[in-house]
Amino acid sequence: MDHDKLLNIAVEMGCQLMASGAEIYRVEESMERLLLAYDLPTAEVFAIPNCIIASVNTPEGHPITRMRRIASHGTDIELLERCNDLCRHLCAELPPLEEAEALVMGLSQCPRRHAPWQVLVGHAIAAAFFAPLFGGGVLDTLGALLGGLGVGICLLYGKRLIGSNTFFRTVICSAIASLLSLFLVRIGLGRSLDTVTISVLMLLVPGVALTNAMREIMAGDVVSGLSRTADAILVAAAIALGSAVGLGIAQLF
Amino acid sequence: MTAFFLTYLLPCACAFLACVGFTLVFNIHGVGKLICGVGGALGWLVYLLWGKTIFAAFLAAAAIGVYSELMARVRRCPVTAYLLVALLPLVPGGGIYYAMRHCVAGENEAFLDTLLHTFGMAAALAVGAMMASSLFRTIYTHLYHRGRRR
């Protein structure tokens, strides 16, 4: 058996899992299962949020190790579910390596994705329906809808302009959110500035980072858990910084 | 009847729709959308019933944790998706904003008060969901193995 190829397949699978926002234990366990399923005596996998290291011993006693770095990524549940299903399928069926490789390489190509306009609508709907939860009326809902649309556009298309630094991106987006809400409320779309701003800011809150951090700690991966906790706190601080811009300007006029 | 509709049903419907909006952002398809939405509504209902305190957030997160684990077992999918989206309405975005507002206005005491409350909410969410999930798993595996032995 070609152990190099097997290791490459497993690492690619882990990489896709990580890119879809899976927990560390899921990445480690899936890769380990895949490697052991193909009759390797041992398989060691270590992962942290942006790096995977996998090492195997061939039956002849020859060690092979591969390390792969993963760029920052978002959350893509459809990809996660497909990876999970494929891993289960591979471990159960054990197809020839060429076939397995084709399947794993095809993972990122054709999963169902929402079109950009659908994602924008998602942002707008989410922001709009947060307004009643924070005590807003119909007018506030309308304002939050437009604000959410604006922030959605920033998040989706602003990546090239703002850069990929999460902290900085969140500062800019929340500043835009607070300024946009201020503007909307001043022209009469929305009664309460606080409600509209909070509803729009809810699109940026580190709910994902918080949930992930908690799940990592629950699974016993303290290093990854702490790094994600730090991520959540940083994002929260960035939101606070950005919204201060809008608040400061609101005080001036 | 109208009061019941306005205080409980309407907010829950809004939480449902907000969560469905987020499923578009996180690329969740099919029945998953519905499950996430119901999870969000359930969490918000518990939060409202217990009066919007930190303890209410803890209970709501616990309810969402159990619900997501259950749904993940039913659909044989990773839990992450359901937990992630359903917890979002409870994340204290308002707390962050109000804390910053007090900070900018120079009201130090109110600022610290809001900040601590925000941290408390976040911690309650994390601990609540964590405890509920762990407890559910322990009980579930226990029952599952006992069921198999018979």
Side-chain angles (χ1 to χ4, degrees):
Chain A
M1 189 190 288
D2 189 349
H3 291 103
D4 292 343
K5 189 174 253 174
L6 175 59
L7 189 60
N8 279 339
I9 293 173
V11 169
E12 176 65 24
M13 166 74 91
C15 193
Q16 291 295 339
L17 267 170
M18 197 77 104
S20 69
E23 308 94 320
I24 296 296
Y25 79 84
R26 192 182 301 283
V27 175
E28 287 180 348
E29 215 177 277
S30 302
M31 288 175 68
E32 227 169 86
R33 279 205 188 150
L34 188 60
L35 289 167
L36 292 178
Y38 277 93
D39 270 344
L40 278 170
T42 58
E44 308 283 341
V45 181
F46 175 75
I48 50 173
N50 46 18
C51 179
I52 297 176
I53 303 169
S55 181
V56 296
N57 253 339
T58 60
E60 299 86 52
H62 178 64
I64 319 172
T65 302
R66 183 147 184 227
M67 193 273 259
R68 176 128 182 217
R69 229 192 109 91
I70 295 124
S72 66
H73 47 75
T75 308
D76 185 340
I77 301 297
E78 178 71 16
L79 183 61
L80 171 60
E81 286 182 0
R82 278 174 53 111
C83 285
N84 208 36
D85 287 346
L86 179 61
C87 186
R88 233 177 246 163
H89 169 77
L90 289 183
C91 289
E93 309 277 322
L94 295 180
L97 281 182
E98 283 73 26
E99 202 184 315
E101 191 180 21
L103 280 173
V104 172
M105 294 301 167
L107 266 180
S108 60
Q109 253 125 57
C110 59
R112 288 182 292 171
R113 287 232 166 78
H114 288 115
W117 70 267
Q118 281 172 314
V119 177
L120 274 183
V121 168
H123 277 113
I125 291 180
F129 285 103
F130 274 128
L133 296 185
F134 298 111
V138 179
L139 219 56
D140 295 321
T141 308
L142 209 63
L145 184 87
L146 292 176
L149 208 60
V151 171
I153 290 172
C154 281
L155 283 173
L156 227 60
Y157 299 107
K159 226 173 222 167
R160 223 167 295 151
L161 268 171
I162 307 172
S164 58
N165 181 343
T166 325
F167 183 77
F168 187 60
R169 197 171 62 216
T170 313
V171 172
I172 298 285
C173 283
S174 78
I176 289 174
S178 64
L179 285 177
L180 205 61
S181 318
L182 185 63
F183 174 72
L184 286 167
V185 171
R186 285 291 152 90
I187 63 168
L189 272 171
R191 198 160 297 139
S192 150
L193 175 61
D194 292 351
T195 308
V196 176
T197 315
I198 293 171
S199 312
V200 179
L201 284 182
M202 283 304 280
L203 293 176
L204 302 167
V205 290
V208 178
L210 187 74
T211 315
N212 280 336
M214 165 200 99
R215 291 186 60 73
E216 306 292 11
I217 291 174
M218 196 167 95
D221 296 309
V222 180
V223 177
S224 311
L226 284 181
S227 90
R228 290 203 207 261
T229 310
D231 189 31
I233 293 175
L234 271 179
V235 171
I239 292 175
L241 264 182
S243 62
V245 174
L247 283 167
I249 290 180
Q251 278 191 341
L252 284 181
F253 300 108
Chain B
M1 191 62 209
T2 334
F4 172 78
F5 177 78
L6 279 180
T7 39
Y8 294 115
L9 221 54
L10 193 67
C12 287
C14 286
F16 176 86
L17 287 169
C19 286
V20 171
F22 266 115
T23 61
L24 287 166
V25 178
F26 293 130
N27 202 17
I28 301 171
H29 293 263
V31 197
K33 277 194 188 14
L34 220 64
I35 295 177
C36 290
V38 172
L42 174 77
W44 197 261
L45 182 68
V46 174
Y47 182 59
L48 278 181
L49 282 176
W50 254 268
K52 293 193 167 189
T53 53
I54 289 186
F55 185 63
F58 174 84
L59 285 180
I64 291 172
V66 171
Y67 169 81
S68 327
E69 293 277 343
L70 211 64
M71 283 301 150
R73 295 288 184 291
V74 171
R75 286 207 63 215
R76 291 179 66 77
C77 281
V79 200
T80 331
Y82 311 136
L83 202 62
L84 210 70
V85 177
L87 277 180
L88 269 172
L90 291 168
V91 177
I96 299 175
Y97 172 77
Y98 282 122
M100 206 57 209
R101 205 182 73 172
H102 291 307
C103 182
V104 169
E107 299 157 354
N108 283 338
E109 243 165 67
F111 165 61
L112 282 180
D113 215 39
T114 326
L115 194 69
L116 281 182
H117 189 263
T118 309
F119 270 117
M121 280 286 282
L125 285 184
V127 175
M130 196 146 79
M131 298 270 275
S133 284
S134 306
L135 211 64
F136 179 88
R137 272 183 204 180
T138 317
I139 294 173
Y140 181 83
T141 35
H142 190 71
L143 289 179
Y144 189 67
H145 283 300
R146 205 158 65 179
R148 274 180 124 189
R149 229 179 281 146
R150 267 179 201 157

